Amino acid sequence: MNSVLQDLRQTIRQWRGAPGFFLVTALTIGIGVGGVTTVLSVSDAILFRAQPGLKDPDDLVSIRVADRAGRSGRLMPYAAFEALKPAENGMVGFAGGLQVEASLSWGPGDSPEIVAGVAVTWDYFPTLGTRTARGRFFSREEDQVPGANPVVVLSHKFWTGGFGGDPSVLGQTVSINRHPFTVIGIAEKGFHGHLPLYDYSLFVPLSMAEALTGRSLSESTVATVGRLAPKSSLRRVRGLTTGVAEELRAIHPADWMSSVFLVEPLSRSFQEFRGPISLFLGFLVALSGCILLVASANIAGLLLSRALTRSHEVAV
């Protein structure tokens, strides 16, 4: 302990003698370490960590439309989603969502804020297994009649950032794309949807999508997510969806002659986007590592320079 106290006193004396040197050293190390930490944290959140708010994420699957070789996966037309929905096809839940760019304002005279939103089916939240922090999610009845139930659920992040975490926001009316919506719930902390590359701030019933986007659901494509039944498997779901694809091929031969359903685990879906992002994040990791090496070299040079200036002191 005496040695530690002696080192501490010596450090304080050196800092008082050359405060600029210590400040530059601390900032240089901070920039290098901070850059590496930030890039690695972003990479971990996007590529490796499970989406927050999802219960048993290994049981979740994504279904898209692809060519016969299973490539070029794309979002599903709403008509195909409706064809898959009734039978559930080996799943205990099958939900869809349509991305909506929302212009949100809190009251008359307030400047609107552009946020990312998604219109989802009523069973979207039960399928994912997420919960509310406050209030409730919308019900089946609120997702039946187009344009009849303007209700909205806010993400926890947007609630704390845009509304300051005010609990009285429940029941208030906000304007979304010039339509009044009633806030009925706040999603649990960390949850921002099922897609890893999107951060949704609000969730509305799919029945309100046409009012917000100005186009009918029949002209839209949806991102889907399903939960495997307890004794089901990806192979069984793929087999069942093949039958639905054959039915659609008989009804719409021009659209489905060379198309099939692509069933993937949710954690491995959208690989065509993850690949370029992985390369970009790898480049950022390498770049931040180089910055840390440069910072270390700068510190070494500063220490060497300071040692030379203290040569007389050390000799004494």
Side-chain angles (χ1 to χ4, degrees), residues 219-252:
E219 302 172 351
S220 305
T221 56
V222 295
T224 64
V225 59
R227 181 173 293 278
L228 294 175
K231 296 183 180 181
S232 185
S233 64
L234 280 176
R235 178 178 297 180
R236 181 168 183 265
V237 173
R238 286 170 181 151
L240 293 171
T241 56
T242 300
V244 178
E246 292 293 341
E247 295 175 3
L248 290 171
R249 194 170 296 118
I251 301 173
H252 307 286

Side-chain angles (χ1 to χ4, degrees), residues 202-230:
L202 54 88
F203 306 84
V204 300
L206 190 61
S207 60
M208 297 300 302
E210 186 172 346
L212 295 180
T213 62
R215 65 178 185 271
S216 65
L217 287 175
S218 60
E219 302 172 351
S220 305
T221 56
V222 295
T224 64
V225 59
R227 181 173 293 278
L228 294 175

Side-chain angles (χ1 to χ4, degrees), residues 85-156:
K85 180 70 174 171
E88 300 290 349
N89 297 287
M91 297 175 287
V92 292
F94 184 56
L98 170 63
Q99 185 170 335
V100 176
E101 187 177 89
S103 174
L104 185 145
S105 59
W106 289 266
D110 290 339
S111 57
E113 179 181 357
I114 304 299
V115 298
V118 60
V120 297
T121 54
W122 72 271
D123 52 352
Y124 178 77
F125 301 105
T127 298
L128 297 178
T130 188
R131 299 171 296 179
T132 57
R134 289 181 179 272
R136 63 176 180 87
F137 295 131
F138 32 83
S139 62
R140 181 196 296 265
E141 291 72 22
E142 290 172 322
D143 189 33
Q144 297 298 315
V145 182
N149 294 285
V151 292
V152 60
V153 174
L154 306 178
S155 71
H156 194 279

